Amino acid sequence: MNPAHSPCQIDPARLTRLLGPAQSRFTIEALRECSSTSTLLLERSRQGATSGALLVADRQTAGRGRRGRSWRSSPEASLTFSLAWRFSSDIARLAGLSLAVGVAVARSLEACGVAGVGLKWPNDILLNGGKVGGILIELETVPGGMLAVIGIGLNLQMPAVAAEELQEFLHRPAALAQALSAAPDRHRLLAQLLLDLAAVLDDFSAGGFSAVRNEWQARHVWQDRQVRLLNDGQLDRQGICLGADADGALLLLTSSGVERCLCGDLSLRVA
Ligand code: BTN
């Protein structure tokens, strides 16, 4: 069916009901199709979009991943949305935000009955070692603080990926359907995600990444393992991964001692 003529699969009224008392914290907009929920929400944030603005789309025609990669979505196979959230702190205090968001997503998936969820620095959601979702955080300066546009994409079903494309992935793709007996209800999953995001973002606002650091480390798939850190595909550093510090920087025990690696164009691979 032409997406222009089909109803959006997310019903804002049903989602609002599922949010219960927390519904007042969100303004929900559901689209059949858009270029990218994050691109659109960023544009709106420059025009004054408020904290709690949610944009969910069945299909993105130009979905964006980290490092300029594209991100695919389709109504049957994925859940893609972006959430605007305001922080009164400056940009330096938001360094660990993508890790904190990872904790919220992991909590939600587990609450929906998904076992085997893991987190990989800085912002991959893994399911039994395969990539089931990703997080893209973009920041705008606003009067009195920062507005984060938090973009999240989850594979509900296995995405169709050509063999040659697989080579550029650090992880094989995974899908929530692999860990559940029935396809997840997108409304329930999204409501759970919003509730967990609100709780984690409140804690993050009050205490920074430290507030959820232990939880992150407990789910960190390469904690205490020998890893290589790659930058643009080239070996940058290697050592034992000690997890993340209170600012969300990766800690690596190398031959020169403990080194801090900040979020950036870095990739991590088991050595
Ligand atoms: C990654 O590269 O792992 C991050 C992927 C983030 C994808 C989500 S889907 C919703 C939002 N809109 C986008 O264009 N990207 C993010």
Side-chain angles (χ1 to χ4, degrees):
M1 191 189 288
N2 181 340
H5 303 294
S6 61
C8 178
Q9 290 200 345
I10 296 290
D11 171 9
R14 180 166 176 225
L15 184 60
T16 301
R17 280 195 300 278
L18 287 168
L19 288 170
Q23 60 185 254
S24 61
R25 304 194 70 184
F26 301 97
T27 49
I28 297 165
E29 186 176 349
L31 302 173
R32 282 170 297 205
E33 184 175 292
C34 70
S35 57
S36 146
T37 54
S38 286
T39 303
L40 215 53
L41 205 48
L42 272 173
E43 281 165 19
R44 291 186 187 174
S45 71
R46 290 172 201 132
Q47 295 153 14
T50 50
S51 194
L54 171 80
L55 206 49
V56 52
D58 282 345
R59 192 185 301 276
Q60 299 183 115
T61 54
R64 295 183 291 110
R66 286 181 65 238
R67 283 179 272 155
R69 291 199 172 118
S70 59
W71 187 268
R72 294 198 197 158
S73 50
S74 66
E76 310 76 28
S78 43
L79 180 62
T80 48
F81 66 95
S82 299
L83 176 69
W85 206 262
R86 196 180 186 290
F87 297 90
S88 53
S89 44
D90 62 24
I91 195 164
R93 292 217 49 217
L94 299 182
L97 181 58
S98 70
L99 280 67
V101 168
V103 169
V105 175
R107 276 188 200 174
S108 300
L109 297 183
E110 288 161 7
C112 291
V114 179
V117 179
L119 298 172
K120 194 199 95 176
W121 186 89
N123 58 2
D124 286 339
I125 316 292
L126 303 186
L127 178 63
N128 298 320
K131 179 160 170 165
V132 77
I135 298 161
L136 180 71
I137 307 268
E138 293 165 297
L139 300 169
E140 278 286 317
T141 305
V142 292
M146 306 293 301
L147 192 88
V149 171
I150 300 165
I152 297 177
L154 289 169
N155 299 333
L156 305 187
Q157 306 286 347
M158 224 30 186
V161 180
E164 59 272 20
E165 283 181 276
L166 271 176
Q167 287 165 12
E168 72 175 63
F169 290 157
L170 286 175
H171 290 280
R172 62 183 163 79
L176 295 180
Q178 295 169 317
L180 295 167
S181 50
D185 177 311
R186 285 158 40 108
H187 289 81
R188 286 191 186 283
L189 177 58
L190 183 51
Q192 186 68 53
L193 283 159
L194 294 175
L195 295 174
D196 285 322
L197 279 164
V200 165
L201 295 174
D202 284 347
D203 288 347
F204 185 90
S205 292
F209 174 60
S210 302
V212 291
R213 180 168 172 256
N214 288 346
E215 231 186 298
W216 186 85
Q217 303 241 128
R219 294 184 173 99
H220 182 218
V221 284
W222 286 332
Q223 189 70 25
D224 301 322
R225 293 181 65 181
Q226 186 76 27
V227 294
R228 292 186 295 153
L229 203 54
L230 308 176
N231 196 346
D232 281 339
Q234 304 299 311
L235 181 64
D236 187 79
R237 282 172 254 189
Q238 56 189 335
I240 294 174
C241 183
L242 302 180
D245 71 8
D247 296 323
L250 186 78
L251 296 175
L252 214 52
L253 178 61
T254 71
S255 50
S256 323
V258 177
E259 297 188 33
R260 288 180 84 236
C261 311
L262 296 164
C263 293
D265 282 352
L266 294 168
S267 301
L268 193 63
R269 274 188 176 158
V270 175

